Amino acid sequence: MTGPPFPASRRRFLELCADALGAALLPAHGLATTDAAEGRADVISHATPGSVPLIRRGQPAAVLADPDELPGVLRAARDLRSDLSRVAGTRAIFTCGPATGTPAIIAGTLGHSRRVERIIRARGIDTHGVAGRWEACLLQVVEHPEPGVPRALLIAGADQRGTIYGLYEVSRRIGVSPWTWWADVPVARHDDLYAAPGRWIDAPAVRWRGIFLNDEDPCLGEWMTARFGGPNHAAYVHLFELILRLKGNLLWPAMWGNRAFDVDDPLNPALADCYGVVMGTSHVEPMMRAHAEWQRYGHGPWNYATNAKALRAFWRGGIERMGRRESIVTIGMRGDGDKPMAPGIEIGLLERIVADQRRIIADVTGRPASAVPQMWALYKEVQAYFDAGMRVPDDVTLLFSDDNWGNLRRLPPAASRAGGYGIYYHLDYVGGPRNYKWVGSTQVERVWEELRLAYAHGVRQLWIANVGDLKPLELPVSFFLELAWNPEAMPLERLATYTAHWAGRQFGAEHAREAGELLSRYTQYNARRKPELLVPGTYSFEHFDEAARIRTEWNDLAARARRLGKQLGPGHRDAWYELIGYPILASANLDQLYHAVARNRLHAAQGRASAADDARLAQRAFARDARLASAYERKLAGGKWPHMAAQTHIGYTGWQQPPVNVMPATVVPTVPSIAALGVAIEGNRGAWPGTAAAPVLPPLDWLGARSRHVVVFARGTARVRFSARASAPWLRVTPDAGLVGPDQTLAIDADWPRVPTGRNDAWIDLRGGDGSSVRVALTVLRPANADAAHGFVESEGRVVIEAEHFAHAVAAPGLTWQTVPRLGRTLSAVILRAPTAARPVGILGHPHLDYAVWLRAPGTFDIHVVLSPVLDLLHHGGTRLAVSFDAQPPQTLTVVADSSPGSAGFAAWESSVKDSVYVAIARATVATAGAHMLKLWPRDPGLVFQRVEITRDALPTSYLGPPESRRH
C-alpha cells in the first residue's frame, strides 16, 4: 500500500473507543414539550396513564443496553445517559446489566441485542416498518419489559445508526440541542419529564446524508490546530457526534491546507467507524485518497494518460486502507488542484479510468465492484462528459451538483438506476465570481425550494452539503440534514415556522419567535447580495431611498438582536453571540461601513462639510468589525473558538479573498471656513449651486410617490441659514426655514384635496443666508380618473408588482402554486410545484399567474420578469417561460444561463449569481389605456418568480429595483 499503514495497535484503538464512549458532554438546552411541529406527543412534563418517567423528582431513568451491542450504540447510549444527567441535575445510570425497580430506557439493535430481541418476543411487539429498513427506528412504551422494570421506553433500531438515531431522538425530546457542544447551547433543567405512551417509527427518505468540511482555513483548520493540535481524532469525534445528532451519516473531511484525514491521524477513520459515520472523499479525490496524499506519496504527474501505473498503485492503497469500513468511494478523475482533467472532453480516457478503478475495488475487497458503494460526481466540467453521452455502471450513484451558488444545474433523467442519484450542494464556496465563506448568506427557503425539486425528480440516494468551516452555518446545516431526512415532512407550512422552531430548541419557547425572525431576516438580507460582493454604492443613494432603507433594516435588526441578548441573560450569552449576535451585528456593521464610505464619496463630490463625519464613521465601523471578531475568538466559552471568526471579507478585488481585511478608501475634503448653502435632491447625484443641469425632482403622484425630499447642507465649517418657498399653496416643504449644520432633509409633499386635477408644474425656491438661491422644479400629478384605476397603477412610466400579489393563480391537474415567504430579494417568491417528477410543466394544462394592472396610456412596454437564478435543468437549451397581455399570444422567453466558463450563457449566469436574480425581458405593445391583465406562463420546472416590472422607459439605476406600485 502507498502511504502509512492502518494503525498497528488494535489495543490503542479500543482504548480510544472506550474513552469516546465515556466522554462527558457540555451543557445543553431545549424544549421538553409536545413536539407539535411533528404532529405527535413525545416528552411531556407530567405523568399520564401509561407514561414512562424519564425524570421523576429529579431522578433520571436508567439507560440499558447489551454488552455485546454495536460500539456506536454503546457510545450513543452513554451520551443519552449524560444528557439525562444534565437535564435532571442528578447522575443517570448506564448499565449493560439489570436495573431492577427503576424506570428505564432500553436500547438495542435488531439482530444484535439479545435483550431487545427477548423483549420483542415476550411482549409481542410489532417490528413491521422497522426490521430490514435502512436506519429505521422504533420508540415504544412497553409494560414490564423484563423482571424488575415496571415500564420502559424501548428503542429498537433496524441497524446500528437506526438505534443511534433513536437514542439521540430521546435526547432531543428532553431538550438537548444537537449544537450543545458546537454552539455552547446551555441546558434547561427539569425535575419531571415523561415519555407519553404510544409508538413512533421513523426512517430516512434519503439514504446517505452528510456534510463536507471545505476551504477550512483560516477558521476551522487553524481552530483545530489551536484547540487539538491538528485535524486529529480529538477534533473529529465532536464532528462525528454532531452529524449523528443531526441524523446525518456521511462526512467528507477537511482536505485543504495539505490535510489528509486518514494519515494526519490514523485513528480518524477507525473512530469514524466506531461512531458509525460513513466516510467518503470529495468530488476531486478518487478512491479514498486525500488530494494532499499525492504530494506526499505520489510519483510523477497527476495524469492518467502518462502516469497510469503510479496512479493505480496510489488508488489501490486507498482501497486497501479502507478495508471493510463503511465508505462511499469516489470514482472518476479531475485535474490536479480541483481543476478540469483536460482542455476537452476525453470520454474514452475517463471511461478507462473508471473501469480500472472498479477492477482495483473488486480485486482489493474480494467482492464485486457493484457491492461497494461508489459515486461519480458530475461537478463543473464533469457534467459535460455526462451530457456528451458518457455513462458509468448502473450501480454507481450519479452525484449531480449545483452551480456552487445553491442553484441546481440539472435534473436527472427519468430513468431509474440501481445506484440512484445524488446532489452536491453548497452553503459555502471558494471560487468565481467570488468566495462566500464569512457568515450565513443562504436562505433555508432557497435550500427547501431547490432540494425539494431535486427530490421530486428522483434525487434520493445521496445529499451532501459543502459547509465550509461549519460555523457560523449552524442553522442551514441543521436544515439541510433535517430536510434530507424526509423532504416530504417539510411542507411549506412547516418551512414557514422552521427558524422559530429551530431557535426554540436553542433558546427556549419564550424567545423562539423573535430569535427565529432574526435568523430569517439576517440570512434574507445577506442573500440579496452576498457580503463578499458588497462594495460602497451597491445600494443606491439617489433613487428610491434604497441605501437608507437597507441601513434602517440592518439597524433595526441589530437593535432587536441586542435586546434579545439582554433578555436571554448570561447563561445564553455564548450561544446568543455565536448563533445570532455575531452574524447579525457584524453583518449590520459591514453595511454601516459600506454605507458610510459611499456616502462619504458622494458628499465629498457634492462639497458637503459632512463628508468628513462620514469618513470617521467608516473608520469606526472598520475597527468595530475587528472587535466583534476578537470577542468571538477570545471571550466566548472561555476562549473555546480561536481563529473561528478570522475569515476575511472586506477588500475583495477578485474572486479570491484578500489576505487581510482592507479599509475602503474615503475622501477627507478640505472644508472652507465659511457659511455657504448647498442643495441636493432625490434622484440626482448633483449639487447646487454648481451642477450645470437644473435640479428637477421626480414627480409627486397621487397614484404613485406622494412625497419627495431635498437636502440642504453646509459647504463650509460654519452653519448657514436657509428658507424654502413653494410655488403653490397646496405644495408643502417641511421644515421651510432653519439653521443648517451640517445637513437637513426637507420633506416635499402636497395637500392632495387642494391639488388641481391633471398635471401641475411647480417649483420650490431655496435661499441661503450666504445669498445663494436654487430653484427646484417638479411635476405634481392628480389624475382626473384616479377613482377608475383598478389593480396596480402605472406611475412614472412603470408598474412594479411583487410576485405573490397576483390576481389569479391558475394551476393544472397535479400542480400547485405556492408562495414562499421571504424567498428572494424583496418580499417573497411564487413557485409552481408538482408532487412527482413529470414532463415539463408547460404542457400540463398551461398554468399561469395573472396580474391586474392599470396603464395611463397605450404604448410599448418592457416587461422585466425577476426570477431567482435558474439554469438549464432539463438540458434542452434553457429554461422557458412566457409572457402575455390580456388575450395576446404568449411570448416565450428562454433563460440561457450556464456556469461553464466560455459558454454562451456564462456571463448571464455570473451576473445572476452576483445579483441573486435573473431578469428575463419581453416587449409588448398595449393599444389602450386602463385595465389590463399581465400573464406569466411557466414552461419548464424550476422557475421561481420574485417580481414583475413593466416599464415604458429605462428604470432608474438601483440594486433592488423600484418599490412596489400602488394597488387600487
Side-chain angles (χ1 to χ4, degrees):
M1 182 177 73
T2 305
F6 181 81
S9 174
R10 175 71 176 171
R11 179 177 180 180
R12 175 59 179 152
F13 163 65
L14 293 173
E15 288 172 353
L16 283 165
C17 274
D19 290 342
L21 295 177
L25 295 178
L26 293 182
H29 170 69
L31 298 172
T33 59
T34 297
D35 196 343
E38 296 178 358
R40 62 178 187 269
D42 56 3
V43 171
I44 54 179
S45 58
H46 57 279
T48 61
S51 62
V52 175
L54 302 178
I55 301 172
R56 182 168 54 192
R57 292 192 289 276
Q59 181 60 49
V63 180
L64 311 181
D66 264 354
D68 56 352
E69 248 294 354
L70 296 163
V73 172
L74 294 176
R75 190 205 57 77
R78 284 179 166 84
D79 280 350
L80 177 56
R81 184 270 310 275
S82 297
D83 293 345
L84 284 164
S85 300
R86 299 288 182 177
V87 175
T90 305
R91 185 170 177 79
I93 296 170
F94 169 74
T95 179
C96 293
T100 58
T102 181
I105 300 169
I106 303 174
T109 306
L110 300 179
H112 289 273
S113 172
R114 289 192 295 268
R115 186 174 215 156
V116 166
E117 296 279 5
R118 185 168 56 246
I119 294 170
I120 287 172
R121 287 193 302 271
R123 309 311 302 168
I125 294 172
D126 180 12
T127 60
H128 177 72
V130 181
R133 187 179 178 191
W134 178 264
E135 297 180 346
C137 181
L138 163 70
L139 269 63
Q140 182 171 335
V141 172
V142 180
E143 300 286 343
H144 304 292
E146 55 187 45
V149 179
R151 188 177 294 143
L153 176 63
L154 179 69
I155 302 172
D159 49 31
Q160 175 176 237
R161 280 191 297 274
T163 312
I164 291 171
Y165 296 144
L167 288 159
Y168 284 141
E169 179 70 16
V170 176
S171 288
R172 186 188 66 79
R173 293 183 183 197
I174 65 173
V176 178
S177 167
W179 294 96
T180 294
W181 194 89
W182 278 98
D184 301 298
V185 179
V187 66
R189 290 279 301 278
H190 293 277
D191 291 330
D192 294 282
L193 291 176
Y194 296 82
R199 169 187 176 86
W200 175 79
I201 292 176
D202 204 7
V206 176
R207 188 175 184 85
W208 288 305
R209 312 162 306 281
I211 61 174
F212 176 25
L213 304 174
N214 192 219
D215 305 307
E216 62 275 8
D217 285 338
C219 298
L220 182 68
E222 294 187 17
W223 171 79
M224 283 180 169
T225 299
R227 185 70 196 271
F228 299 105
N232 54 33
H233 70 276
Y236 271 109
V237 290
H238 296 290
L239 281 157
F240 300 152
E241 181 184 324
L242 176 69
I243 289 168
L244 294 169
R245 283 184 180 268
L246 292 172
K247 293 187 177 180
N249 59 11
L250 173 64
L251 175 65
W252 287 359
M255 61 168 289
W256 295 113
N258 205 31
R259 293 183 179 91
F261 178 80
D262 289 72
V263 296
D264 289 339
D265 183 348
L267 289 170
N268 283 341
L271 281 176
D273 199 50
C274 172
Y275 272 68
V277 173
V278 182
M279 293 304 302
T281 49
S282 74
H283 57 86
V284 74
E285 300 174 297
M287 301 291 279
M288 301 304 294
R289 298 304 298 254
H291 176 266
E293 291 186 74
W294 182 251
Q295 277 68 43
R296 300 186 197 182
Y297 312 118
H299 303 284
W302 181 264
N303 186 322
Y304 204 75
T306 63
N307 197 26
K309 183 178 180 181
L311 282 162
R312 285 196 296 270
F314 178 71
W315 290 336
R316 176 176 288 270
I319 303 303
E320 288 173 347
R321 185 176 59 200
M322 176 186 75
R324 305 292 290 185
R325 290 193 295 274
E326 196 174 4
S327 308
I328 302 175
V329 179
T330 298
I331 62 170
M333 186 176 183
R334 294 189 72 221
D336 194 10
D338 202 10
K339 298 175 182 177
M341 185 175 66
I345 299 176
E346 298 188 15
I347 290 179
L349 176 61
L350 192 53
E351 286 179 335
R352 179 158 63 92
I353 290 169
V354 169
D356 290 349
Q357 288 172 338
R358 285 171 64 84
R359 276 192 288 271
I360 292 170
I361 291 169
D363 184 51
V364 172
T365 65
R367 294 181 287 166
S370 59
V372 178
Q374 299 153 62
M375 70 86 184
W376 181 36
L378 306 181
Y379 180 70
K380 285 192 174 180
E381 82 289 342
V382 182
Q383 184 174 291
Y385 284 74
F386 180 80
D387 290 341
M390 179 178 167
R391 296 295 180 264
V392 293
D394 193 61
D395 60 272
V396 175
T397 299
L398 293 184
L399 187 71
F400 285 85
S401 174
D402 68 354
D403 62 352
N404 302 310
W405 289 73
N407 311 302
L408 298 181
R409 295 180 70 199
R410 187 79 80 244
L411 293 172
S416 62
R417 54 185 292 112
Y421 301 101
I423 184 68
Y424 171 36
Y425 197 78
H426 286 73
L427 304 174
D428 169 285
Y429 180 58
V430 167
R434 188 157 292 180
N435 299 350
Y436 60 96
K437 298 178 58 180
W438 180 44
V439 293
S441 57
T442 298
Q443 293 182 267
V444 297
E445 291 84 359
R446 182 59 168 170
V447 179
W448 177 87
E449 184 275 324
E450 291 291 275
L451 294 184
R452 290 253 303 186
L453 179 64
Y455 182 80
H457 283 76
V459 181
R460 304 183 177 192
Q461 188 75 354
L462 193 162
W463 287 18
I464 190 157
N466 186 325
V467 302
D469 299 302
L470 183 64
K471 294 175 71 66
L473 299 182
E474 295 92 343
L475 170 63
V477 169
S478 292
F479 182 80
F480 176 86
L481 289 174
E482 191 163 343
L483 187 68
W485 181 264
N486 188 355
E488 293 178 351
M490 188 72 71
L492 180 62
E493 296 75 19
R494 187 164 177 232
L495 172 70
T497 62
Y498 180 82
T499 52
H501 185 67
W502 186 85
R505 297 179 190 173
Q506 323 311 321
F507 302 110
E510 178 185 356
H511 304 287
R513 184 184 297 274
E514 176 67 359
E517 177 70 10
L518 290 170
L519 289 164
S520 293
R521 290 300 177 192
Y522 130 72
T523 48
Q524 182 187 29
Y525 295 169
N526 274 344
R528 290 166 172 164
R529 190 173 184 90
K530 294 189 181 293
E532 293 85 348
L533 280 161
L534 293 173
V535 296
T538 293
Y539 298 112
S540 174
F541 273 78
E542 60 268 34
H543 298 302
F544 316 126
D545 288 329
E546 184 176 66
R549 287 189 291 111
I550 298 301
R551 183 86 290 271
T552 298
E553 287 176 347
W554 275 119
N555 278 340
D556 290 348
L557 203 68
R560 290 170 64 183
R562 291 189 187 96
R563 280 198 301 272
L564 177 64
K566 293 177 181 178
Q567 293 167 2
L568 288 168
H572 282 88
R573 185 68 186 178
D574 294 339
W576 167 82
Y577 197 74
E578 292 170 49
L579 299 175
I580 293 176
Y582 176 75
I584 290 179
L585 298 180
S587 296
N589 184 69
L590 185 68
D591 179 76
Q592 172 74 81
L593 169 63
Y594 286 135
H595 184 92
V597 172
R599 192 169 60 186
N600 162 261
R601 295 174 183 176
L602 174 62
H603 289 184
Q606 293 175 335
R608 299 198 201 189
S610 60
D613 296 333
D614 296 324
R616 286 189 289 270
L617 183 62
Q619 291 285 355
R620 288 198 294 271
F622 185 75
R624 189 182 303 116
D625 178 87
R627 290 198 302 272
L628 290 167
S630 178
Y632 196 122
E633 295 178 345
R634 298 184 181 185
K635 295 181 180 180
L636 295 181
K640 181 179 177 179
W641 303 110
H643 305 288
M644 197 55 91
Q647 179 59 53
T648 55
H649 50 280
I650 306 171
Y652 276 80
T653 57
W655 69 267
Q656 184 57 284
Q657 66 196 38
V660 296
N661 288 325
V662 180
M663 171 67 197
T666 55
V667 181
V668 181
T670 301
V671 180
S673 300
I674 58 172
L677 184 71
V679 176
I681 66 172
E682 179 181 348
N684 199 303
R685 295 182 68 86
W688 293 266
T691 298
V696 179
L697 272 173
L700 290 177
D701 187 352
W702 171 250
L703 295 177
R706 296 182 182 178
S707 66
R708 298 294 183 185
H709 69 262
V710 169
V711 177
V712 291
F713 57 86
R715 279 180 158 163
T717 57
R719 302 174 75 186
V720 59
R721 291 198 173 273
F722 80 94
S723 63
R725 184 179 65 85
S727 64
W730 41 260
L731 186 61
R732 299 182 295 213
V733 185
T734 309
D736 61 3
L739 189 63
V740 177
D743 299 340
Q744 173 72 59
T745 299
L746 313 182
I748 314 297
D749 64 359
D751 183 0
W752 287 104
R754 299 173 60 196
V755 176
T757 57
R759 176 190 173 101
N760 300 276
D761 293 324
W763 63 87
I764 298 162
D765 284 329
L766 296 160
R767 296 186 180 275
D770 60 335
S772 61
S773 64
V774 175
R775 173 168 287 185
V776 179
L778 76 160
T779 300
V780 183
L781 301 172
R782 187 183 175 199
N785 59 347
D787 292 342
H790 175 72
F792 287 92
V793 179
E794 178 187 354
S795 177
E796 298 180 70
R798 60 179 177 264
V799 183
V800 179
I801 312 171
E802 296 291 344
E804 74 168 63
H805 294 149
F806 47 78
H808 311 101
V810 180
L815 298 172
T816 305
W817 285 106
Q818 294 181 316
T819 297
V820 185
R822 296 184 296 269
L823 177 56
R825 299 196 316 184
T826 48
L827 179 65
S828 59
V830 179
I831 62 175
L832 184 66
R833 183 51 48 87
T836 58
R839 306 183 300 278
V841 299
I843 61 173
L844 296 178
H846 303 295
H848 56 89
L849 296 169
D850 295 345
Y851 294 91
V853 301
W854 193 83
L855 303 177
R856 284 182 160 165
T860 299
F861 296 85
D862 285 334
I863 305 165
H864 301 246
V865 183
V866 182
L867 307 160
S868 295
V870 62
L871 288 89
D872 186 10
L873 299 179
L874 299 178
H875 190 41
H876 62 193
T879 298
R880 300 164 301 168
L881 66 151
V883 179
S884 67
F885 263 116
D886 304 320
Q888 295 177 0
Q891 299 179 47
T892 297
L893 306 175
T894 301
V895 178
V896 180
D898 192 333
S899 58
S900 305
S903 66
F906 181 73
W909 168 82
E910 191 171 51
S911 176
S912 74
V913 296
K914 285 180 179 179
D915 296 342
S916 298
V917 292
Y918 182 99
V919 182
I921 303 175
R923 194 165 179 81
T925 299
V926 179
T928 61
H932 293 276
M933 195 70 72
L934 177 73
K935 300 174 184 288
L936 299 183
W937 310 75
R939 297 301 197 203
D940 289 320
L943 290 164
V944 178
F945 297 102
Q946 293 192 21
R947 60 182 358 219
V948 184
E949 299 164 351
I950 306 167
T951 67
R952 292 182 188 269
D953 304 304
L955 286 171
T957 302
S958 67
Y959 184 70
L960 297 177
E964 188 173 35
S965 299
R966 288 186 180 273
R967 179 163 52 175
H968 285 253

